[in-house]
Amino acid sequence: MEPTEDGSNYKYGVFYFNKNDPRTIVPKRIRFMGWTLNFARPGSYVIMAAIAGLIVWAIVFKK
């Protein structure tokens, strides 16, 4: 079984958190729905910060 399919690897049923999975970006439980982040990896927080920074930049520098 794929680790992303195990419900015990999700916090609050939404956030994938598995320290034993070395991947930062993983497929969602329902594969055709896309990808999600493994929040047990520090790289996921870097990705989230970059996305938030782009959103803030787009709002602040919108002309």
Side-chain angles (χ1 to χ4, degrees):
M1 176 193 303
E2 174 75 22
T4 56
E5 296 173 359
D6 185 4
S8 66
N9 289 328
Y10 286 85
K11 293 214 177 210
Y12 309 111
V14 179
F15 302 105
Y16 182 70
F17 191 93
N18 184 355
K19 292 180 182 179
N20 297 323
D21 191 345
R23 302 173 294 179
T24 301
I25 300 173
V26 295
K28 289 190 175 186
R29 285 189 212 187
I30 303 171
R31 292 196 180 267
F32 70 85
M33 295 294 289
W35 299 83
T36 190
L37 296 172
N38 180 358
F39 286 96
R41 299 284 164 223
S44 64
Y45 295 100
V46 172
I47 292 169
M48 290 297 293
I51 291 170
L54 285 172
I55 291 170
V56 169
W57 179 80
I59 291 170
V60 170
F61 293 105
K62 179 181 169 189
K63 291 188 177 194

